Amino acid sequence: QVQLVESGGGSVQTGGSLRLSCVASGNRFSRAIMSWYRQTPGNQRDLVAFITADGRTNHVDSVKGRFTISRDNAKNTVYLEMNSLKPEDTAVYYCRYNESKLYWGQGTQVTVSS
């Protein structure tokens, strides 16, 4: 069983920045594909970015150039650096751990006001 604890959400104004963190338990973190998803009320959970075990990244078009996913295997942590935030980025952000099984964090709220 892997537990994921997210932090770093909050409320910012348009153009602001936040850094989300997700710490995973266990000793297989370095092998996991780590992802960030986001969800707004009444909608499905959508992929934002992922990073593979060997550090390759992919970001969806709507966040390219503004968000950056990274990982620190020594700290069992994945990050999402979010810059130039827009009101449409408002959502609950979840991290996902994928290494033979899938695990989700509890989510952290990000609110961007205009």
Side-chain angles (χ1 to χ4, degrees), residues 14 17 19-20 33 40 54 63 79 86 89:
T14 297
S17 298
R19 188 176 81 155
L20 306 183
I33 298 171
T40 54
D54 60 359
V63 307
Y79 303 98
K86 305 175 181 180
D89 295 318

Side-chain angles (χ1 to χ4, degrees), residues 29-97:
F29 176 83
S30 63
R31 305 182 186 192
I33 298 171
M34 297 300 298
S35 308
W36 285 98
Y37 282 72
R38 63 187 179 187
Q39 187 173 27
T40 54
N43 293 309
Q44 65 182 21
R45 200 169 290 187
D46 292 326
L47 176 68
V48 176
F50 69 83
I51 184 167
T52 64
D54 60 359
R56 287 175 290 137
T57 63
N58 187 278
H59 302 75
V60 298
D61 287 346
S62 61
V63 307
K64 278 182 180 177
R66 301 188 300 121
F67 291 12
T68 303
I69 190 171
S70 62
R71 68 192 298 161
D72 185 338
N73 290 337
K75 296 183 178 180
N76 273 23
T77 301
V78 62
Y79 303 98
L80 186 68
E81 185 75 36
M82 305 187 296
N83 298 312
S84 302
L85 282 160
K86 305 175 181 180
E88 50 264 44
D89 295 318
T90 295
V92 178
Y93 284 71
Y94 298 88
C95 70
R96 191 183 85 162
Y97 175 110

